[in-house]
Amino acid sequence: MCQTVGYISSRSMHSLTARADTWFLPHTITYAPSATSLYLVNSAQHQPPQHALLGIGGIPYEQNAELTKLATLRGYISSPLVNLPASKEEVLAAQAAFSGDGDTVLLGPLATKSAFEHSGLDQHSIIHLAVHGVANEKHPERAALILLSDSSSGDDGILEASDIVHLQTNADLIVLSACDTAVGRLQGEEGIANLSLAFQLAGAKTVVSTLWSIDDTTALYLMKRFYAHLAEKDTVAHALTSAKRDMLKTYGTQAVPYYWAAFKLEGPGDHPISLNSKKFSTKN
């Protein structure tokens, strides 16, 4: 029998998350920025979104030299942005598990910041972003997800935490499959300021984020297993834990914690995604 254990995020708990996942993998671990935020999410009236999925990935970073130049000049990166070949497959895995009328999938050249911001964020139950992420512990409001720019709409492609908090979403689940999206600075009772918290402040019920840089290929395997378990009506928290167990069973000693323990869940994860899911067996 699997027991669910919840934690309130703190600096000490934040630094011990990987070890906690290793020690307590028989349990299901969830986190919350603060007790207040957890209470507000649980007590809020939640209007069911109309559509299943909004996914973004497969961005051709290497073909957009101006984006790398801009991100470098602004101090977001110190080396050129590289493509994330498996990021497109992550979005397609989510689409295979949950699909319906009105889904929005922004792949390749369609994955611009403006397209994401105007994709009906409050109308999708699941939002999956498989992109480059940049943390900023000194100035957490400048932590960012790097999408494509769109000169016709005047956006630069860089979605900062300060932008995210002004968005409005009604998502049951947001998956930030990008580097360092749970990394930030502890800000008193508000918890740790990072990209994950920004999406929660924008209205997300539950967010899956990362504690360090993730590997593109192993992240794809983990996300495929995660969505497979969600499609079987597992709760969000148990689905993530089960995906980690699947990786350990499949790869054994090669599945070191670096590849799977970075992914954490913040918010109430005791609910399944209530949508009509396609057949996507956990035996795949």
Side-chain angles (χ1 to χ4, degrees):
M1 184 174 180
C2 183
Q3 179 183 358
T4 301
V5 181
Y7 292 103
I8 301 301
S9 293
S10 65
R11 185 172 297 279
S12 58
M13 196 70 246
H14 193 65
S15 63
L16 288 172
T17 296
R19 278 180 283 176
D21 273 351
T22 305
W23 293 335
F24 301 121
L25 201 55
H27 305 283
T28 298
I29 300 175
T30 64
Y31 300 84
S34 66
T36 300
S37 69
L38 190 60
Y39 170 78
L40 291 174
V41 169
N42 283 327
S43 59
Q45 294 293 325
H46 190 65
Q47 184 70 25
Q50 296 179 6
H51 309 303
L53 176 70
L54 166 57
I56 185 166
I59 296 178
Y61 290 107
E62 294 174 17
Q63 287 71 48
N64 287 270
E66 285 301 313
L67 182 61
T68 289
K69 181 179 179 181
L70 177 66
T72 303
L73 288 173
R74 293 189 181 178
Y76 292 103
I77 59 174
S78 57
S79 57
L81 293 167
V82 298
N83 292 342
L84 302 171
S87 63
K88 176 181 177 179
E89 298 303 315
E90 282 189 34
V91 176
L92 295 178
Q95 189 177 35
F98 296 95
S99 183
D101 295 337
D103 288 352
T104 303
V105 176
L106 303 173
L107 298 175
L110 300 177
T112 65
K113 174 184 174 182
S114 57
F116 175 74
E117 290 178 326
H118 296 92
S119 293
L121 298 174
D122 60 340
Q123 297 299 319
H124 293 83
S125 183
I126 302 170
I127 299 176
H128 186 102
L129 296 104
V131 299
H132 278 297
V134 182
N136 191 322
E137 294 188 66
K138 186 176 181 180
H139 301 288
E141 72 279 359
R142 295 194 68 234
L145 298 173
I146 301 179
L147 313 181
L148 283 184
S149 59
D150 182 1
S151 57
S152 65
S153 63
D155 82 62
D156 56 12
I158 299 174
L159 184 66
E160 291 188 335
S162 58
D163 300 319
I164 294 167
V165 296
H166 295 294
L167 301 176
Q168 290 186 331
T169 181
N170 192 33
D172 290 309
L173 170 66
I174 292 184
V175 178
L176 302 179
S177 186
C179 295
D180 302 319
T181 53
V183 175
R185 187 178 70 196
L186 183 63
Q187 293 191 325
E189 295 179 358
E190 295 181 6
I192 297 172
N194 50 35
L195 289 165
S196 176
L197 179 60
F199 274 104
Q200 290 173 80
L201 293 174
K205 187 173 183 180
T206 304
V207 179
V208 172
S209 55
T210 58
L211 285 162
W212 53 76
S213 297
I214 57 174
D215 176 75
D216 187 45
T217 303
T218 52
L220 172 60
Y221 176 87
L222 191 72
M223 288 295 104
K224 281 184 173 181
R225 304 311 306 146
F226 176 57
Y227 282 111
H229 288 289
L230 283 179
E232 296 290 338
K233 306 301 183 184
D234 208 349
T235 67
V236 177
H238 286 132
L240 183 60
T241 301
S242 295
K244 294 177 180 182
R245 293 192 188 114
D246 290 344
M247 181 171 282
L248 288 170
K249 290 175 184 176
T250 301
Y251 294 103
T253 56
Q254 294 181 346
V256 295
Y258 167 78
Y259 291 123
W260 52 265
F263 290 88
K264 62 179 292 192
L265 186 148
E266 289 195 282
D270 56 350
H271 62 285
I273 301 297
S274 10
L275 296 167
N276 292 323
S277 63
K278 292 182 176 180
K279 281 273 188 189
F280 196 67
S281 170
T282 54
K283 295 180 181 179
N284 285 346

